[in-house]
Structure formats: structure tokens, C-alpha cells
Amino acid sequence: MEKIYGAEKRCDGIKQIGRRRWKVFFGFGEDDMGTYVYCHVFDYKPSFDEVKEMILGQINANVQEQILSGFRYRDKIVWLSAENQRNIALAYAMAKGGDIQTLPTLKLGSDDDYEMYTFQDVNEFVLFAVHVQMHIEDCIAAGREEKGLVNWTNYEE
């Protein structure tokens, strides 16, 4: 789905825009380019299940993207790939158990502008790991909320 900028409100629904073209809209958001809704054009009339799968897929992709690149520490992005999440969780478990020998070093920022940061003490790292988990939970909750906001009756026949 693509973002169509300039939207003023949420407009879930499907609209026939030609003899053999339908446009599906959903959501409402804002980023650095302005307000938008999601849109996808079909050259056939999609089924309700197809539309629902596409919308849920977009919401899930948005959640994953927000988890991956939406967390900041020391004013820099922390990339929370699945591997980084596992490493942070493992180091957190070790820190809580008193078994951590070396504090983790993280790459903060983008590939072009980054710094390697080593945590100064266990408490700082534990607090960081807790905030990472809170970020992930908040992203998942926002995805659930978005799914609840979709007016599915606007897509039914």
C-alpha cells in the first residue's frame, strides 16, 4: 500500500474509480511529509478477505518497522533487529542474575553516522533494556489499537 498525502481524516473504505478499477483506503497518520491515508488500487474488485489480509499486513509491517527503527537512546537510533533484541534480552537476564562479566557495546545511529557505546554500569544497562521492552510492547499495543480502529463494514459487499 502507498501513502497518499494531504488527508484530513481517516477514510476506511473501497471505492470503484473506473469500470475495472477499485481503490482501497484505510487509516490516517502523520509523518514528516504531512498527513496521509494508505491506498491501494486494484484492477479487479477484491474480496473482503483479500482487503482484510492486505490491511492487516500493512499494519503488521508498520509495527515491525516502528520496533526496528523507532527506538532512540542518547538521541540516536537503536536498530532493534531480531538478533539485537535477543542479545539485549540475554544480556538483561545475565545482568539481573548477576552473571554479566562485560557490559554490552551497542552501535547507536545509522550506518553513515554512528557511535559505539559501552554501558557504564549494570544499572544503566538494565534501565536501557527495560525501556527497549517497553518500546516493543508500546509498538505492539499501537498495532492492536490500529486494527481495532479499522471499520471493516466499509469493505464488505
Side-chain angles (χ1 to χ4, degrees):
M1 298 191 84
E2 68 177 295
K3 294 177 181 177
I4 303 296
Y5 287 92
E8 296 179 9
K9 63 180 181 171
R10 183 179 194 99
C11 58
D12 295 341
I14 186 168
K15 181 176 259 186
Q16 188 170 1
I17 58 171
R19 211 163 74 170
R20 293 186 179 162
R21 290 175 54 101
W22 284 262
K23 196 178 261 192
V24 173
F25 298 94
F26 98 93
F28 180 76
E30 185 172 2
D31 60 21
D32 56 346
M33 294 177 58
T35 57
Y36 63 86
V37 296
Y38 284 98
C39 176
H40 185 79
V41 176
F42 288 89
D43 57 3
Y44 60 92
K45 186 172 185 185
S47 70
F48 173 77
D49 289 339
E50 186 175 10
V51 170
K52 187 172 183 178
E53 182 179 331
M54 181 183 60
I55 290 172
L56 293 177
Q58 183 65 57
I59 293 170
N60 291 338
N62 292 350
V63 167
Q64 288 303 315
E65 180 61 29
Q66 188 60 29
I67 288 171
L68 179 67
S69 63
F71 185 72
R72 297 180 76 78
Y73 188 70
R74 297 172 50 93
D75 292 325
K76 297 212 180 236
I77 291 173
V78 178
W79 295 101
L80 293 178
S81 64
E83 181 180 0
N84 285 346
Q85 290 178 48
R86 283 189 301 274
N87 290 341
I88 291 166
L90 178 61
Y92 174 76
M94 292 171 63
K96 291 298 284 181
D99 295 333
I100 196 161
Q101 303 296 321
T102 305
L103 290 166
T105 297
L106 288 177
K107 178 180 172 183
L108 304 177
S110 66
D111 286 338
D112 298 330
D113 178 26
Y114 68 91
E115 72 175 276
M116 298 306 289
Y117 179 75
T118 303
F119 289 91
Q120 303 303 308
D121 61 48
V122 172
N123 291 333
E124 179 192 15
F125 174 71
V126 167
L127 186 60
F128 166 82
V130 167
H131 282 112
V132 165
Q133 188 58 41
M134 288 170 49
H135 167 72
I136 293 168
E137 290 172 9
D138 289 347
C139 291
I140 292 169
R144 281 191 204 113
E145 182 179 338
E146 178 66 21
K147 289 174 183 178
L149 290 174
V150 177
N151 186 347
W152 296 111
T153 59
N154 290 349
Y155 302 102
E156 295 174 340
E157 309 254 347

